[in-house]
Amino acid sequence: MELAEPAPQSILDQDLYKFCMQQTVLEHYPDVIVEYGFINRDPSMRFNQAAFTQLQKDIAHMEHTTATNKDIEYLKHTCPYLSAEYLQFLASYRFNPTVDIACSLDEMGALELKIMGKWTQVILYEIPLLSMISSAYFSHVDTDWNYTGQLEKITAKGLQLVDASCEFAEFGTRRRRDFKTQNMVVCALSQLHCGPGQCIGTSNVYLARKYNMKPVGTVGHEWTMAIAALEGTYENGNSLALRKWHATFKGSLGIALTDTFGTTAFFANFDRQLASLYAGVRHDSGDPFQFIERVHAHYTRIGISPATKTIVFSDGLDPEKAIS
């Protein structure tokens, strides 16, 4: 394994959608207290003490990460849907990991991590923490890897998508092996030739600025799940979340996430009024071809031409799946 490149100490080393969600939380639920918990989907992947020590150091360093004037100006000019009030809030925002985060490692190597505090304060932890956990694991536990050939692989995959007329974006921050890997990927994608398709941007705001790409993203499942819980209605959780989101962004970031409580519940909430307000929908689970048919049927049934709407696909895609 080669030496990992440290992540930049920048608040913009973050997925765009978390800033967007922080703005909606600030507007609609400014005083709500929440708790996040880390769930390891593969319990066989255990930490060792060296990985845990690195994670602890990385978490502690977060208290020094703040938005600079340059960061705020970039967001102001690049993301006009972020309000002046929100950017003022972000300019004074501070991580407080000593108070907000509890992290421990048990004798079997299982990582336990909880975050608790005001939703407006703790919402920005998720993406950096997941990338830190991955980086620590691949620096000290699974070390049988290197960067050899990675640039060539991502370039070939990018060209395969471009030549197949695919429009696609990079969304790797939370899953990256380390910052150097994601930096390599985004750099390569930014240099692809323009063909029938194109790479339209990256979710990582820092890398979008670095490589003069568009920062992209909308909303995560967290928004709909939390609103349903806070408002005590899972039956209408989708419609409440969609209406509050539209109230904040007025049509910008208008791709609706469909699978938080399953597509049946989503389409029951997605009436003509809401469907007219949103530019399209996002597929994130289930059979994509059946989803296309269902979306087409739903728009047709409520009197909206499917040809006027967009479907975004984001469920574990590789070039072959995307092209098909």
Side-chain angles (χ1 to χ4, degrees), residues 13 41 47 83 92 99 109 117 126 137 168 170 213 230 240 276-277 312:
D13 185 26
R41 293 181 178 179
F47 259 41
S83 68
S92 61
V99 173
E126 178 189 7
Y137 181 85
F168 62 97
E170 187 276 336
M213 300 176 76
L230 290 169
L240 279 172
S276 299
L277 294 175
V312 176

Side-chain angles (χ1 to χ4, degrees), residues 283-288 313-318 321:
H283 170 267
D284 201 47
S285 61
D287 186 301
F313 297 91
S314 61
D315 183 25
L317 295 174
D318 57 27
K321 289 181 181 178

Side-chain angles (χ1 to χ4, degrees), residues 73-205:
E73 281 301 307
Y74 171 78
L75 292 173
K76 178 181 177 180
H77 293 291
T78 308
C79 307
Y81 41 80
L82 296 178
S83 68
E85 293 77 12
Y86 170 67
L87 292 178
Q88 183 178 7
F89 170 85
L90 186 63
S92 61
Y93 175 84
R94 299 293 184 272
F95 288 106
N96 191 3
T98 303
V99 173
D100 300 333
I101 298 175
C103 186
S104 62
L105 189 71
D106 71 16
E107 59 185 13
M108 300 299 294
L111 179 67
E112 297 181 9
L113 192 152
K114 290 189 180 299
I115 311 161
M116 187 171 182
K118 274 191 177 183
W119 198 7
T120 52
Q121 166 64 25
V122 300
I123 193 171
L124 293 188
Y125 279 112
E126 178 189 7
I127 304 301
L129 285 175
L130 289 174
S131 63
M132 289 173 189
I133 290 168
S134 181
S135 181
Y137 181 85
F138 286 107
S139 292
H140 299 285
V141 182
D142 182 354
T143 59
D144 186 20
W145 59 274
N146 57 58
Y147 302 103
T148 303
Q150 296 304 306
L151 181 60
E152 293 76 11
K153 286 181 180 179
I154 188 58
T155 300
K157 290 181 178 182
L159 289 173
Q160 186 180 356
L161 290 167
V162 168
D163 292 341
S165 302
C166 292
E167 291 192 350
F168 62 97
E170 187 276 336
F171 275 72
T173 307
R174 69 168 66 200
R175 301 171 181 85
R176 69 191 185 196
R177 181 170 285 168
D178 61 4
F179 174 76
K180 181 175 180 177
T181 301
Q182 189 182 20
N183 183 58
M184 183 188 305
V185 167
V186 177
C187 178
L189 295 178
S190 72
Q191 297 173 6
L192 293 176
H193 69 264
C194 292
Q198 62 176 324
C199 178
I200 63 171
T202 172
S203 63
N204 186 290
V205 184

Side-chain angles (χ1 to χ4, degrees), residues 8-14 19 71 74 179 183 202-211 215:
Q9 199 161 309
S10 169
I11 201 166
L12 297 188
D13 185 26
Q14 173 77 263
F19 294 126
D71 295 336
Y74 171 78
F179 174 76
N183 183 58
T202 172
S203 63
N204 186 290
V205 184
Y206 176 88
L207 292 174
R209 181 174 67 178
K210 180 177 181 179
Y211 293 110

